[in-house]
Amino acid sequence: MPTQTFFNLSEEKRERLISGAMKEFAHYCLNDASIANIIKNANISRGSFYQYFDGKSDLYFYLIGIFRRNTTQLMLQSFQEKDGVFIEGYQLFGDKYIQSIMESEKVGFFKHMYLNMNHQISQQVGGDIVSSIKAAMPKDGKRVIDVIKRDTLRIQTDEELRELTKFIINMLNQTIMEGFSKERSIKDTQIEFRKKMDWLTFGVMKKELNEGE
Amino acid sequence: MPTQTFFNLSEEKRERLISGAMKEFAHYCLNDASIANIIKNANISRGSFYQYFDGKSDLYFYLIGIFRRNTTQLMLQSFQEKDGVFIEGYQLFGDKYIQSIMESEKVGFFKHMYLNMNHQISQQVGGDIVSSIKAAMPKDGKRVIDVIKRDTLRIQTDEELRELTKFIINMLNQTIMEGFSKERSIKDTQIEFRKKMDWLTFGVMKKELNEGE
DNA sequence: ATTATATGTGACACGGTGTCATATTACAAG
DNA sequence: CTTGTAATATGACACCGTGTCACATATAAT
């Protein structure tokens, strides 16, 4: 987390630092990026930098936080739009999420983020989703867990629904990562995710053989 | 790839270097590990190191190659043991694979590998699987694609089966990563993977509502 | 004006990387 | 054996990035 000093800064200076960092991280991954470049971009002295942040990673994770799409919000919207139908809700959510990442002006930043995504970054990106599934949104008090029609699912407990959501988010991130890696179009990435959602929803096993279970 | 010089080395020296590197990578991730430590562990001069490898990553990926479990082999075995039944084959494979990783003497190495797994490492780890699905195994000429009973699946083409396999491997790696991260037992990690396989096989949607499609 | 508190600065020590000129070894041919 | 050639070994070194620290400057309070 940035220090209080950072937040006391004038907006102009804070912006300068953030965009200087974004520029660097759009060109280099966390490891290859250098503080030297960032402070040069932002016209800030080395000493000052360390008064704001613990180090490179601290800044990086802060940026992820800033530019993290409001996923919970997006999920709520999508499910309300699709009357809580599991597959339709998630597929709409996936479409919107993929688009918001791949069409963003910060796409360079996101690309490096996804291509270098490890467990820690993954937690950072998807962290608020899983933890806030049960939390009510300030807007209308709805929880994600409430807007998903559960009676059509083989999943019943809150805990299982939480795990399933985490699974789907992982699936989504994996798909976006692959999209960046293979330089797929937004459309193709969306199709890829929809296919996986279809597999997960209806199962890859044929229905007629799916009755004995 | 290591240079020819490296392979010309006496086995003793090669072993010394490999185990020196393993020791370092069991304690530090790729970025934090230092060549200085590795060559100190192995009693090899800095200059020599660079005659064998391009750099740290080169060595690291070579090690992954060495200690990569023979996944294709394991998959073939599992499916033959379960008469090609999709879910049973993959669940057995998952059990075996998770155990082979988490019970390995190299578990420290694997733990860091999984916790820092990004796209590049993931490719390296699972690379041979996907690419060799269609390739015949030298043993009896069977291909992975041949031993999976396809008539019970909604998947028909080779291409789709290849994609599904890739998806499952990702799912498995994700599960292992989480297992290391949350310090789950082997058993719990296996259970986690089996649950996901169950979701994927039969779908999370209830069967009675699954007929209109 | 004085003191206290917050913020800014860049020189510096430290540690890691990759290279290179040189030393050593292995080995083949005469 | 000895001479020559190719392969291998070595560690000092230049370079670069990090994080720190003593000191400078600004802001605010009394």
Side-chain angles (χ1 to χ4, degrees):
Chain A
M1 262 288 126
T3 60
Q4 187 53 47
T5 307
F6 175 72
F7 294 111
N8 293 342
L9 251 41
S10 72
E11 196 176 330
E12 191 273 322
K13 193 165 187 178
R14 237 180 310 136
E15 268 312 314
R16 215 161 9 116
L17 188 40
I18 289 175
S19 62
M22 286 302 282
K23 188 179 168 191
E24 179 72 359
F25 287 125
H27 285 297
Y28 304 100
C29 71
L30 176 54
N31 292 305
D32 295 343
S34 86
I35 294 175
N37 281 336
I38 293 172
I39 60 178
K40 207 173 63 186
N41 287 343
N43 239 51
I44 279 175
S45 78
R46 188 167 194 82
S48 288
F49 179 89
Y50 281 97
Q51 289 214 322
Y52 310 146
F53 299 98
D54 261 0
K56 221 196 317 178
S57 305
D58 192 25
L59 166 56
Y60 189 69
F61 289 124
Y62 170 66
L63 290 180
I64 289 181
I66 291 181
F67 295 106
R68 180 163 58 194
R69 301 287 164 247
N70 193 333
T71 337
T72 314
Q73 184 70 25
L74 206 61
M75 231 156 99
L76 267 173
Q77 275 174 17
S78 306
F79 271 101
Q80 282 171 340
E81 199 172 326
K82 294 293 183 182
D83 292 325
V85 178
F86 177 79
I87 185 165
E88 290 179 13
Y90 269 123
Q91 284 189 341
L92 181 60
F93 166 70
D95 280 354
K96 284 181 181 172
Y97 189 80
I98 288 169
Q99 179 158 6
S100 81
I101 293 284
M102 296 181 96
E103 230 183 45
S104 160
E105 52 174 347
K106 314 284 181 199
V107 63
F109 176 80
F110 287 126
K111 180 169 180 176
H112 274 96
M113 190 184 81
Y114 271 95
L115 288 180
N116 293 281
M117 182 169 283
N118 57 20
H119 186 251
Q120 198 185 2
I121 294 178
S122 167
Q123 291 289 88
Q124 201 67 216
V125 172
D128 66 346
I129 303 175
V130 175
S131 64
S132 72
I133 287 172
K134 293 158 142 184
M137 288 304 289
K139 222 176 177 178
D140 53 3
K142 284 266 174 67
R143 303 177 312 160
V144 172
I145 261 186
D146 296 325
V147 294
I148 300 178
K149 265 195 202 155
R150 213 181 298 198
D151 54 328
T152 65
L153 297 180
R154 284 168 61 214
I155 268 94
Q156 293 302 337
T157 67
D158 279 10
E159 179 56 21
E160 263 199 314
L161 194 51
R162 209 185 58 77
E163 279 180 36
L164 179 58
T165 302
K166 198 172 65 179
F167 178 62
I168 292 170
I169 298 296
N170 282 341
M171 206 167 83
L172 179 54
N173 282 329
Q174 191 85 40
T175 309
I176 295 175
M177 181 200 275
E178 219 179 283
F180 277 126
S181 159
K182 301 221 163 98
E183 298 189 337
R184 291 205 179 108
S185 68
I186 294 181
K187 190 87 205 147
D188 284 350
T189 307
Q190 288 170 333
I191 289 172
E192 195 64 28
F193 177 68
R194 290 181 95 97
K195 191 205 299 177
K196 289 175 188 166
M197 270 309 297
D198 180 85
W199 282 346
L200 178 63
T201 308
F202 303 110
V204 295
M205 184 154 270
K206 277 183 184 165
K207 276 168 285 175
E208 59 261 39
L209 293 161
N210 193 358
E211 280 160 16
E213 197 229 359
Chain B
M1 261 290 125
T3 60
Q4 186 55 46
T5 308
F6 175 73
F7 293 109
N8 293 342
L9 252 39
S10 72
E11 196 176 330
E12 191 274 323
K13 194 166 188 178
R14 236 180 310 138
E15 267 313 312
R16 218 166 358 121
L17 188 40
I18 288 175
S19 62
M22 286 302 283
K23 188 180 168 190
E24 178 71 358
F25 287 125
H27 285 295
Y28 305 98
C29 72
L30 177 54
N31 293 304
D32 295 343
S34 86
I35 294 175
N37 280 335
I38 293 172
I39 62 178
K40 207 173 62 186
N41 287 344
N43 238 53
I44 280 176
S45 77
R46 188 166 193 82
S48 289
F49 178 89
Y50 282 98
Q51 290 213 319
Y52 310 146
F53 300 97
D54 261 0
K56 223 197 312 179
S57 304
D58 191 25
L59 166 57
Y60 190 69
F61 289 123
Y62 171 66
L63 290 180
I64 289 181
I66 291 181
F67 295 106
R68 181 164 55 194
R69 299 287 165 248
N70 193 333
T71 337
T72 313
Q73 183 70 25
L74 206 61
M75 230 156 101
L76 268 171
Q77 275 175 18
S78 305
F79 271 101
Q80 282 171 340
E81 199 172 325
K82 294 294 182 182
D83 292 324
V85 178
F86 177 80
I87 185 166
E88 291 180 13
Y90 269 123
Q91 283 189 339
L92 180 61
F93 166 70
D95 281 352
K96 285 181 180 173
Y97 188 80
I98 288 168
Q99 178 156 6
S100 81
I101 293 284
M102 296 181 96
E103 229 183 45
S104 161
E105 52 174 347
K106 315 285 181 199
V107 64
F109 176 79
F110 287 125
K111 180 170 181 174
H112 275 96
M113 190 183 82
Y114 271 95
L115 288 179
N116 294 281
M117 182 169 284
N118 57 20
H119 186 251
Q120 197 186 4
I121 294 178
S122 167
Q123 291 290 88
Q124 201 66 216
V125 172
D128 67 346
I129 303 174
V130 175
S131 63
S132 71
I133 287 172
K134 293 158 140 182
M137 288 302 289
K139 225 177 177 179
D140 55 1
K142 283 266 174 66
R143 304 176 311 159
V144 172
I145 262 186
D146 295 327
V147 292
I148 300 178
K149 266 193 201 158
R150 212 180 299 197
D151 55 328
T152 65
L153 298 181
R154 283 167 61 214
I155 269 94
Q156 294 302 336
T157 67
D158 279 10
E159 179 55 20
E160 262 199 314
L161 193 52
R162 207 184 59 78
E163 279 179 36
L164 179 60
T165 302
K166 199 172 64 180
F167 179 60
I168 292 170
I169 299 296
N170 282 340
M171 204 166 85
L172 178 54
N173 282 330
Q174 191 85 39
T175 309
I176 294 175
M177 181 200 274
E178 218 179 284
F180 278 126
S181 160
K182 301 222 163 97
E183 298 190 337
R184 292 207 178 106
S185 68
I186 294 180
K187 190 87 203 149
D188 285 349
T189 307
Q190 289 170 333
I191 289 173
E192 195 64 29
F193 177 68
R194 291 180 95 96
K195 192 206 297 178
K196 289 175 189 167
M197 271 307 298
D198 179 85
W199 283 345
L200 178 63
T201 308
F202 303 109
V204 295
M205 183 154 272
K206 276 184 184 164
K207 275 167 285 176
E208 60 260 39
L209 293 161
N210 193 357
E211 279 161 15
E213 195 229 0

